[in-house]
Structure formats: structure tokens, C-alpha cells
Amino acid sequence: MISEFEPEGDAPHQFFVMPAQRSLWQDAIEQLARNRLAIFGAFVAFLLLFVAVFGPWLAPYDYAEQNLLRINEPPSGDHWLGTDGLGRDLFTRILYGARTAFLVGLIVTAGTTILGVALGAAGAFLGGWVDFTVMRLADITMAFPDILLAAFISVIFREKVLEAQIFLLERYGWTFSEANRVYLDYLVIFGSLTLVQWYGKARLVRGQILSLREKEFIEAERALGASNWAIISGHLIPNSLGPLIVTITVGFGGAMLSEASLSFLGVGIQPPGASWGAMINDNLGQWRYYPHLVVMPGIVLAIVVLGFNFLGDGLNDALNPEQRRR
Amino acid sequence: MNTVSLPHMQYAIHEKSEASGHIGGMMQIDAEHSEIPLAPVGEAQERPLLQIKELQTQFETKQGIVKAVDGLSLELYEGEVVGLVGESGCGKTMTALSIMRLLPENGQIVAGEIGFDGVNLLQRSGEEMQRIRGRKIAMIFQEPMTALTPTMPIGRQISEAMEIHLGLSRQVAKERALELLAHVGIPSPQARFGDYIHQFSGGMRQRVMIAIAFSCQPRLLLADEPTTALDVTVQAQILDLIKNLAQEAGMTALFITHDMGIVAGSCDRVAVMYAGRLVEVGSVDDVLLKPLHPYTQGLLGSVPSLHSEPGERLSSISGLPPDLVQLPPGCKFWPRCPLADERCKQEEPLLEQYGASQAACWKADYRSDSISESK
Amino acid sequence: MLLYTLRRIAALAPIVIVVVFITFILGYFGPIDPVRAILGEEWEDEQRYAETQRALGLDRPFMIQFLDYVGSLFGGNWGQSLSAYAGVASDRAANQGRVGGAFFGTSTGVRQMIFSRLAISAQLGLWALLFLVIFGILLGVLAAVKQNTIIDYIIVTGSIIASSIPAYVIGPILLIVFVLKVPVFKSVGGWDGMFSRQAILPALILGSGPLLVVVRQTRAGIVEVLGKDFVRTARAKGMPERLVIARHMLRTAMIPVLTSLGLITSGLLLGSLFVEQIFNIPGIGKLAIQSLMSGDHPVIMGVVLLQALLIITVNLLTDLLYGALDPRVTYD
């Protein structure tokens, strides 16, 4: 009942001071800055970016450098986090693992965003059978258990990529060094994860466009002769950007986690490539004897995944105020 | 009253309802009792059933502190029906919710006393209040569309309170709920007992609401705009139903409304509320025929009467209800008052006796004189 | 209602067909050639290769093979594991699988292989579900009632943590803590029935995965009804707060939770790749990993297909359940 009072100019005792007009983005940034967990998340994300870019210069050793005389060592001055079963420096490998994780996050997120936005927008704007096909494709992709499907696809992909490599070698004499095989693993993972994770963004974009189309103010603008592009740039993009940023942030963490999962299952990054998931898998058999080999990469992975989730959560609260937790 | 054996039940009023038996009995004596005149005011004046003293209820909002109820004092005597009248937003509902101690989370009673049957409700523990709510003080809400749980059969919503308050078994409570449904005029109660609220019309929902309120035979009924949300044709039926049921049970009632017509038809006394405080209190006859406060006159003026000439303009109160965050000094009504002078803007008038009723207005003296002269 | 159900099933039929089709494509392009798997070294002998290929029906056109696959699915035959053809496949399985074949009986029919492990996964999933429902709803209600207090904050943040950390991180850590540091459990891993101690840790980890979803939805549902008029009416009746929550709020707030619990349940019952791998539990997840390692694609196809079909079925069921839970929903 309180809200029924409306500002009324002619009543002499009412003084209404309108707050200064502020944009959604200013609001969002302030809101985000107050959220300590989101700040932690942002810090983790920047640290990951930094390590991913400068990892090779930060690392005290080479990621594939083996020292069979010093295997499974506990943390020491030489090896801050100890060494693994082949005598490789664990700290170095974790730094390189960050590179893998970030690259996968970046490329898979870019891939799913491009694919998702394109398919979702196509479905919403073109309608008809295009929309039908896109949505059924999304339904079907969703029906499959995603990690298992991604694992299955990556097993198949790997075989095909290897065949292609052999073909190129025989036909054109192109060769790949041993180290380049790691990039083949990346290729496999990018492909399989993008194929499995695009549908969320497609549904989001399609939903945003369709719901905006129903809005009365859009109809009004159309009636006033606004062009399609004016509506897209003036309403659609600003309205969809918030949810999309949240989805991208969460998806970034999700893609990194998926990479770790695939590598843990043995179908992701292959040795000697460094991946946190693969490191856990490699050392899992010895958890009783060398627990740090399992725990260290595990903790790093957990912190990064948590960081992105906290950041996504904070962004969601900040950018989608209508769903903000009350 | 076979199964009821709560110790704190020996009230005079209950002997009355004891005599008429429980709900089943009420049906039979329906016809006889409707003839009983309203309990005359002042018969049991020694101790009011409800005595609100200097109640202050505030809300914290983004705009500031809203003084929804600001120093309100009101007494309700056994068996009388009092109308609490005012524009929406003047604090009527918050007064009722303060009595129930069911204010929204940002609301708080900051001062005052609510005496009910000799005890101050503001000092009761949460558990004690819970035993009072529904059992001794019942409330009927304005919006029957949203005030009933959508996912619970209506029969259960009636019977569950009786299980808690009267210690009835599920079966007995169900039987009584069926009687109540019949009594409030819901056809084929047996069939409708398991229905959900969305299957009922607005009037029927309010009948269910009434059945809930009367189920434990409370002593005080707070009816918050019980007919506002209903179709005009249904309003009178619902009002009569509440009136008759309250009368049968000899219940004390507070009718919260903005409709002077309802007050005229149903109440013994009326209290007019403006900006969180009372501006006029008196018997219905006095207040409606000889309103002292310009605000009351405004409220009455906005109701067409039989004496209105065709084409005559209804007078209305200019301006809007005040902003309860920033109240003017002096009389809260002066910005809208046609009679306001310098004194009204400076000093706040208090409720004082003028003739038969009380009013809070510096001009009440003059008004009461002029009215009596014109008579 | 019946008509609605039938219409929904009819609408699902094409999706099921496409799901089967995609599964078949995945298998068709699978990394291992069954003929080579059977023949081992001899596969380069062109005549033998062709003979075996014909015997397996793999020389037929793609569509014929697909229809054959669909037909045998209807007949209850989900294909044969490649380990049936003694040779490369089973060797690779034995070399790469962490446990070896000992756990997994001797049957090589895909359906038999899957369903013999389903019981174990389902038992574990049941515990996880129990844990999830009890704690998820309890914590969600508590967070909602204590909205915006430190308790709410701790519950929500704790659930984010519990749900974000993958099983293969928290699993080993819990093992290290509860086996090495504070020896609560003597031996871990393997499966010793539903009521053995071994089931506790994996069930907790499995159940904590979807914890956040349940806590969030319960909390949101309760917060949404917290200020509703009907809740005030229930309080005005003098109902104890406990009953106000249980009878008036939960039922309304639970509807979205229950619908997503449907999907969660199907995921839990079909086993987890990671939990079963870490705790060495011979359920469906473990079978899937071993088949993945050895490239035994008929088995992976079977697992993928089973999960996809289950997800589709559960989606349908939750849709129908929605109507049963919310009296306001009608079907037409």
C-alpha cells in the first residue's frame, strides 16, 4: 500500500529528490565490487590469464623434462610442488596445465558462442523450419549425457585426425613433430566440446529475441518506423548482453572443467601434454603413497572452477537485477 | 463444545456461544438469532476487549521511515462492531496487522500497547501469539484470490486450524469444516471439500475465508476490506454473512473499509483514520449525520445520497493522501483542508470530545456548533 | 490427460529416432574396425577380411545396417561387445582398464552387460538421491527463511563449493583425509552391497554434485512464497511456523524442484563416470570408461543410448508429474 503514494507536485509538503540517472552498467559494476566472492573469482580469472600467457617464462623447468633419478619427490626447494612419476616438475606442469585450461576455455567458449548465437538468432529471425530444426537439434543434443558424448566424439575425432595426419604425410610429405601432437589433442577437444555445449547459448539468444519481439515498446518503435538494425542495436544487444555475459563466464569455467574431465577419463590431452585432469588421472593409482601428486592439481582445478562460478554468480546478480536474490 | 477443554476459555462471551452450541447448533438457531439487536455500546464498558494505546508502527523503506500508524488509540468493547475508515494507504491494514503481530518483515511496532482481554499482546512471545491468532483473534483478508493457499484443498485449510487450536482429531475437524462450509453458504460441501481454490469464484473464496476465520470461534474478528475485491452483487451477501455470523457468536469485530456505506449498514461505532492516526471517533449515527472533521465530511461527501439533486457535483477531497515519510507539521490534513488556518499548520490537534463524538480538529468546535444550529 | 500423454509421446518419437540414428552414426564411424578386432594380424588378408565383414553384415549399405540396428534394438538385442571377438579389443581392454575384466562377468551381449551393472549404479544413486533430497531441501528452506543473513550466505556459498568441485578432485581428497589422516575407513573402493561402509563416501560425493541446484531452487521457491498473502493467512490462522512452511509453502515451492529432481535422478541412477572410476565401483560408469578406453563402441553406444532414452522419458514424466503436483495446471 505504501507504493500507492505517488509524487505529487502541488502538495506543498512533498519534496522529491530524484536520484541521479545511472546506467545499468555502472550499477552492475558497483554491485559486483561489493560481492567479495565475485572479486575473488575475477582475481582467479586474471591470474589464470596471466599464468596462461606467461607460464613458460614463470616455469622453472620444461614441462616435458624428465628426471628419472628424482621421481615422486615431495615438495622441496628445487621442486616447489615436488615431482611426478617421471621426475617432471609438478609446479611447471601445473603452470602449463593452466595454459591448456585457458586455451580450451577460450576457444570452446568462442566456438559455442559463435555457433550458439548464429543458430539461435537464425532460428528466431527466420522461424519456420529453420527454427524447428535448430530447436530439435538442441533438444537432441541435450538428451545425450554431455561428458560421455563428448568423450565418445573425441575418441572418434582423434582417430580421424590421426588418419588425416597420415594422409597428409603420405600425400604431401607434411610432418608434425612430437610436440605438435599436443595441438592435435587441442583440436579434438575443441571440436567435441563445441559440438556438445552450443545449445545453451542458442536457446538463450533465441529466447531473448523472441521475448523482446513480444514487447509492446518494440511494436511501438516499429510503428514509428525504426529500422531492424536500430532495434537490434538499441534493444536486442543491450538486453541480451547481460545474460550472455553470464552464460559465457559460466561456460568458460564449464569448458575448462570439461577438458579436465575428458583428460581425466583418458580421452583428452595425451602425454606429454599438461592437463590438470590428466595429472589427477595419472597419479590417482598412487594416492596412498604420493597424495600431493593428486591433491595439488586437484586444488588448482577446484579453485579455478570455483572462481569462475563465483564470478558468474556475481555477474548474474549484478547484470540481471530482476532475478537478483531478494 | 464437546471436545474443547482449553483452560483459558471461560469468557462470558463463550458461555453465550456455548448456549447456542457449536457450529451445528448455530445453523438451527440462525433464524432466531438474527433478530437479536446489536449489543448496546456501553453495556460492558468496564473493560474493553481490545484496547490500543498510542500505537506506533513504522516501515523501513528506501525512501525513509514510513510512519504507517502514528499514535493511534482505540477501544473495542465486547460485542460491538467498529468500523475503521480511511483512504487506502492511511494505515488501516497496518493497524490490523499490528494487532495480529503479522507485520511484513520491514515493519515494526515501535511504541504503544495493544491490550487484548487484559494482556498486552506486544509482550506475548511468538508462541503465545500463535495460540491467540485464529483462536481468539481471527482476520479476514481483502484479496480472496491470493489469500488462500493454491496447493491445499480448501477443506483442509479450514480444518487444520481447528486441529491445532481445538485439539480436534482430523476426522472431527473435517466434519466441523463440512458444517462450516454449509453454514457459510457453499453448496454441496461434501463434494467441494477436496477442491482447490482456483475452482471457486471470488465470492465463494471469500466464504471459505470466512469459514476459516469463524472456525475456532474467536472473540475478535478483524475484517480487512472483506468485500472490496468482490463483484458489487456479491458484496452485500458477503457482508450480511459476516454480520450475521458475528452477531450469532456475539463476536467483537473491527471492520476495515473505505466505504461509508458499509459502515452505515454494519457498524456500531466508527473510527476515521488519516495519515496513521485517528481524526474522528464516535457512534455511527453521530459521525455520519454530524461529521466533525473536514476529512470525514469529505469522505461522506464523496458518497451520493438520496438527497443529492440530479446533476449536483459530489464533493471530493482535493489532493492526494500525504507522503507518510515526510508528514507536514501541525494537523496532517491541512494541505487538503478547506478550513485550514495558521494554527492548523503549526499545532497538531488531539482527539477531544465534542458533543457525542471525538475529533482531532481545531475547527471541530465551530463545526459542531454550526451543525447543531442548522439542525 | 490420456490424450495429452499420447500426444506428448507421439511428439517424442522423432526425437528418439534421431537419437538412435546419431548413436548409430557414432558407432559406425567408431575408432575400431570390428573386422580387424576379430582377425587380429590376419586382417591384411583381403579375402578373409571380406569374408568376416560379410559374416558380420558390415558390407551392407549404411542405411540397411541402420535399419538392422533399429530392428535388433526392438528385439532386445543391443549388439555384441567387441570383446566377444577375442583379439585386439579385449587385450586392449585388459591392458588399459584399471580393474581388468574380472569384475564384469563373461556375457558379451551389450544389453546384458549394461543391465548387470545397472543394479549397482542404481543402488549407489539411490543413496545419493536420499542425501540430496534431505539436505538440499532442508538447507534450501533454511537459507530462504534466514534470507540475507550469514546463515543464508554460508549455505549458498557452501553449496556452490560442494557442487563445483568435480568428483575426481574431492574424491581423492576425501580418500586421503578419511583413510590416511583420520582413518575412519579402512578399505575403500570396490562394491560390497548397498549397506556396506564403502557406499558412504561415493554416495556423498555423487549426491553433492546437484546439491546447488536443489538448494537454489528450494530457496528461490520459498523466498517467492514467503511474502505471499496465503502464507500470511496461514499464520493468521495461528498455524505453527513449522506447519506453515511444510504445508503451505513447500508444496507450492517444491514444484520446480521436483521437476528438476527428475532429471537429476536419471543422472544419479545411471551411475557416474567419475565416482565409479575413483572408487572402483563396477557400475555403468565404470563400464563406459572401460569401453571408452578399449574403443568398444557397441558398449558405449548402448550406454549412451540408454542414458539418452532415459533422459527423454524422465522429461516426459516430469511434465506429466507437474500437472499432478500443481492443481492449477490443466491439460487440454
Side-chain angles (χ1 to χ4, degrees), chain B residues 58-364:
Chain B
Q58 298 185 345
F59 284 84
E60 269 180 52
T61 67
K62 274 180 195 156
Q63 284 77 40
I65 288 178
V66 172
K67 293 175 180 167
V69 182
D70 198 4
L72 178 138
S73 299
L74 181 66
E75 287 96 43
L76 264 72
Y77 294 93
E78 291 276 16
E80 74 169 338
V81 178
V82 175
L84 186 60
V85 196
E87 290 167 299
S88 57
C90 71
K92 294 169 300 187
T93 300
M94 291 309 145
T95 308
L97 290 178
S98 301
I99 299 169
M100 295 294 273
R101 300 235 336 249
L102 279 177
L103 289 170
E105 239 171 60
N106 58 340
Q108 204 191 351
I109 299 170
V110 290
E113 211 177 277
I114 299 175
F116 175 76
D117 199 26
V119 296
N120 184 358
L121 291 183
L122 300 185
Q123 285 165 359
R124 300 295 98 187
S125 70
E127 214 171 299
E128 285 169 318
M129 271 317 289
Q130 184 192 301
R131 281 198 292 269
I132 290 170
R133 281 183 214 125
R135 177 70 193 88
K136 294 183 180 174
I137 309 176
M139 188 159 172
I140 297 176
F141 294 95
Q142 176 176 359
E143 198 46 78
M145 313 290 159
T146 54
L148 291 163
T149 306
T151 48
M152 189 191 255
I154 54 111
R156 278 298 287 150
Q157 297 194 47
I158 300 171
S159 64
E160 66 168 358
M162 293 190 282
E163 289 170 31
I164 297 290
H165 289 307
L166 309 180
L168 302 182
S169 73
R170 201 166 167 150
Q171 193 51 43
V172 177
K174 179 177 176 174
E175 281 162 21
R176 286 194 54 172
L178 287 171
E179 288 167 11
L180 273 161
L181 281 173
H183 200 61
V184 297
I186 293 193
S188 49
Q190 194 80 43
R192 314 264 357 216
F193 188 88
D195 279 358
Y196 292 92
I197 202 66
H198 69 278
Q199 293 160 303
F200 286 75
S201 69
M204 287 294 157
R205 290 175 196 191
Q206 202 57 300
R207 284 171 196 271
V208 172
M209 190 81 207
I210 291 166
I212 292 174
F214 281 87
S215 64
C216 299
Q217 293 179 305
R219 301 184 63 194
L220 175 65
L221 177 72
L222 309 174
D224 183 13
E225 308 243 10
T227 59
T228 307
L230 302 178
D231 287 348
V232 187
T233 46
V234 190
Q235 286 188 356
Q237 298 170 18
I238 295 295
L239 210 59
D240 283 345
L241 179 66
I242 299 178
K243 230 162 60 183
N244 291 338
L245 287 174
Q247 223 169 312
E248 273 171 25
M251 209 179 275
T252 311
L254 184 67
F255 263 66
I256 295 168
T257 180
H258 61 270
D259 186 346
M260 279 296 186
I262 290 178
V263 172
S266 317
C267 301
D268 305 320
R269 283 199 302 138
V270 59
V272 182
M273 198 168 174
Y274 186 80
R277 61 206 77 197
L278 293 184
V279 292
E280 183 159 0
V281 184
S283 75
V284 168
D285 290 347
D286 289 330
V287 173
L288 262 53
L289 296 177
K290 290 174 278 179
L292 296 173
H293 199 282
Y295 178 63
T296 318
Q297 286 162 1
L299 284 180
L300 287 167
S302 51
V303 182
S305 81
L306 285 174
H307 307 294
S308 312
E309 296 290 321
E312 185 186 315
R313 288 193 64 161
L314 295 174
S315 68
S316 66
I317 310 166
S318 63
L320 282 174
D323 175 12
L324 293 181
V325 179
Q326 293 174 0
L327 284 170
C331 174
K332 305 308 165 211
F333 188 60
W334 74 257
R336 302 167 72 184
C337 182
L339 304 174
D341 61 15
E342 273 313 305
R343 187 188 186 193
C344 299
K345 297 181 188 179
Q346 307 293 330
E347 293 172 56
E348 186 173 2
L350 299 173
L351 268 184
E352 270 174 57
Q353 199 76 35
Y354 298 97
S357 25
Q358 294 172 298
C361 177
W362 298 124
K363 305 287 179 186

Side-chain angles (χ1 to χ4, degrees), chain A residues 120 123 130-140 198 202-203 206:
Chain A
V130 179
D131 192 31
F132 181 83
T133 312
V134 169
M135 291 328 286
R136 292 299 84 74
L137 264 177
D139 284 349
I140 289 159
W198 61 275
R203 292 182 145 230
R206 177 181 178 272

Side-chain angles (χ1 to χ4, degrees), chain C residues 117-151:
Chain C
R117 285 145 186 87
L118 185 58
I120 294 175
S121 288
Q123 286 174 8
L124 184 64
L126 223 55
W127 279 133
L129 189 65
L130 199 70
F131 162 78
L132 176 70
V133 168
I134 292 175
F135 279 87
I137 293 178
L138 227 61
L139 291 175
V141 170
L142 191 63
V145 173
K146 302 278 178 193
Q147 204 190 147
N148 297 332
T149 64
I150 185 79
I151 297 176

